Amino acid sequence: MSKTMVMMACAVIMVAVVPAMAQTDITNPGNAIIGIPNDNDWPGAETPPLSIDNVVTTKYLHFKGETQPTGIAVTPSGSGIVTALRLTTANDAEPRDPASYQLSGSNDPVGVPADLANINWTLISEGPLSLPSDRLTTMAAPVVFPNFTAYTHYRLMFPTVKDSANANSMQIAEIELMTAPAGGWPPSVDAGAPQLIIMPADTATMAPTVIDVDTPEEQLTYQWALRSAPAGGSVNFNGTDTQTDAQVTFSQVGGEYVLELSVTDADDNDSNDVVTIRVWDPAVDNVMVAHWDFNEGSGNVANDSTVMSTKGVNGKGEDDGELT
């Protein structure tokens, strides 16, 4: 695995937030569901099933949520590989909103819903949440994460809430476990930070970050290209223009070079980004452009002692009377 390609690897997961698209929630009202901990520590009108009833004015509340992880375990009736999570805030008390999540999956056999509390789970994704302050509001964009396995059961835990000091519980109006939209999620591409090369050095290693949540790394294709260069400048990708960490040699011409990385996934979705490489030529760039000694003794003119002869004038200009 490339060091800059971020995919599912054990429990090391990078989470991306992408624009909302037409994806499918696999949970439905009536699905087998329990609260975690499964101890009935919730009001009679705010039970776990209300978190997947598709009604934003109802909610699930667990009284232990401000002091310990709480959540649900569910056997969805829908199918598919879950690659996104979308939540809706409940009707009141913003301090109770979840501030982080852990999503796990399992294909263990389950006899009755209560068995969901005691099966083996595989971590899919975890990270912070940024729910809106507005009440009864769905997240503007789902949290999207890498996952390539379809599970029969899912456990969603909320380890923390926004303000535990002022909350007496965890609450959530709606939980949606979502599959990718038709055609899949497009890759997220960051071509890397700008770099500086000081001549006579002439090589640089590209360090992009690529996230694709529904295409394995080995099925992605990469293409580096030169988008712009200073006059007379050129680059050589040394046969690595289809690799993530391209090794690029720059000609001994100072100036700004712009490289572009395009990434295409298995569904032919593509994304691109550019990175700027500055090649610094000391013979040209390490020169003094002005030096004022301020030893004239009188007058408004400070003479430049370099070959640039950049005169400085204090106060009003000699010709137009304007400040210069």
Side-chain angles (χ1 to χ4, degrees):
M1 179 181 292
S2 165
K3 64 181 179 182
T4 54
M5 181 63 209
V6 184
M7 304 296 293
M8 172 72 74
C10 299
V12 180
I13 301 166
M14 178 174 285
V15 176
V17 177
V18 301
M21 300 172 67
Q23 58 276 325
T24 302
D25 175 20
I26 66 170
T27 67
N28 291 286
N31 289 167
I33 185 172
I34 62 171
I36 303 290
N38 191 26
D39 56 3
N40 293 306
D41 196 10
W42 44 76
E46 298 174 355
T47 59
L50 298 178
S51 66
I52 59 168
D53 65 352
N54 296 332
V55 179
V56 298
T57 54
T58 63
K59 69 181 179 183
Y60 162 48
L61 181 149
H62 202 300
F63 280 119
K64 291 184 173 65
E66 85 281 13
T67 59
Q68 69 182 70
T70 55
I72 63 166
V74 60
T75 304
S77 55
S79 60
I81 297 176
V82 172
T83 56
L85 168 68
R86 190 163 63 185
L87 305 172
T88 302
T89 55
N91 63 323
D92 61 6
E94 182 179 356
R96 303 172 184 171
D97 288 353
S100 59
Y101 78 97
Q102 291 178 336
L103 179 66
S104 302
S106 178
N107 286 315
D108 284 3
V110 170
V112 295
D115 292 342
L116 288 167
N118 301 304
I119 59 177
N120 297 306
W121 296 99
T122 298
L123 180 65
I124 299 172
S125 177
E126 62 182 348
L129 290 169
S130 297
L131 295 180
S133 295
D134 294 341
R135 303 294 84 200
L136 306 179
T137 300
T138 302
M139 296 173 65
V143 177
V144 182
F145 40 79
N147 181 30
F148 308 105
T149 303
Y151 294 97
T152 306
H153 319 287
Y154 292 88
R155 182 180 67 183
L156 178 62
M157 301 297 292
F158 301 117
T160 57
V161 294
K162 279 188 178 179
D163 183 1
S164 59
N166 293 296
N168 66 350
S169 58
M170 178 283 300
Q171 66 178 22
I172 195 71
E174 280 296 309
I175 293 171
E176 296 175 276
L177 304 179
M178 314 186 81
T179 61
W185 300 104
S188 172
V189 180
D190 181 346
Q195 298 189 48
L196 174 66
I197 299 174
I198 300 177
M199 294 168 52
D202 62 358
T203 60
T205 300
M206 299 300 100
T209 299
V210 177
I211 305 173
D212 195 289
V213 302
D214 52 11
T215 296
E217 178 185 1
E218 62 271 14
Q219 296 181 27
L220 296 174
T221 59
Y222 309 88
Q223 184 62 63
W224 285 97
L226 175 64
R227 284 292 164 257
S228 65
S234 62
V235 302
N236 185 345
F237 288 98
N238 301 298
T240 65
D241 56 320
T242 58
Q243 300 177 17
T244 51
D245 303 336
Q247 308 294 311
V248 187
T249 302
F250 295 80
S251 60
Q252 292 286 297
V253 176
E256 183 176 278
Y257 296 74
V258 178
L259 306 182
E260 180 181 64
L261 173 62
S262 297
V263 181
T264 304
D265 67 15
D267 298 308
D268 288 328
N269 299 310
D270 61 354
S271 300
N272 58 73
D273 190 36
V274 297
V275 59
T276 300
I277 311 297
R278 173 71 178 181
V279 176
W280 187 272
D281 183 354
V284 176
D285 298 320
N286 289 358
V287 296
M288 185 176 294
V289 297
H291 180 244
W292 298 287
D293 294 311
F294 296 105
N295 60 1
E296 288 76 12
S298 63
N300 293 324
V301 177
N303 293 309
D304 177 13
S305 60
T306 73
V307 295
M308 307 299 291
S309 298
T310 307
K311 181 177 64 174
V313 179
N314 179 39
K316 292 186 177 181
E318 297 177 320
D319 299 326
D320 57 15
E322 297 296 326
L323 292 177
T324 60

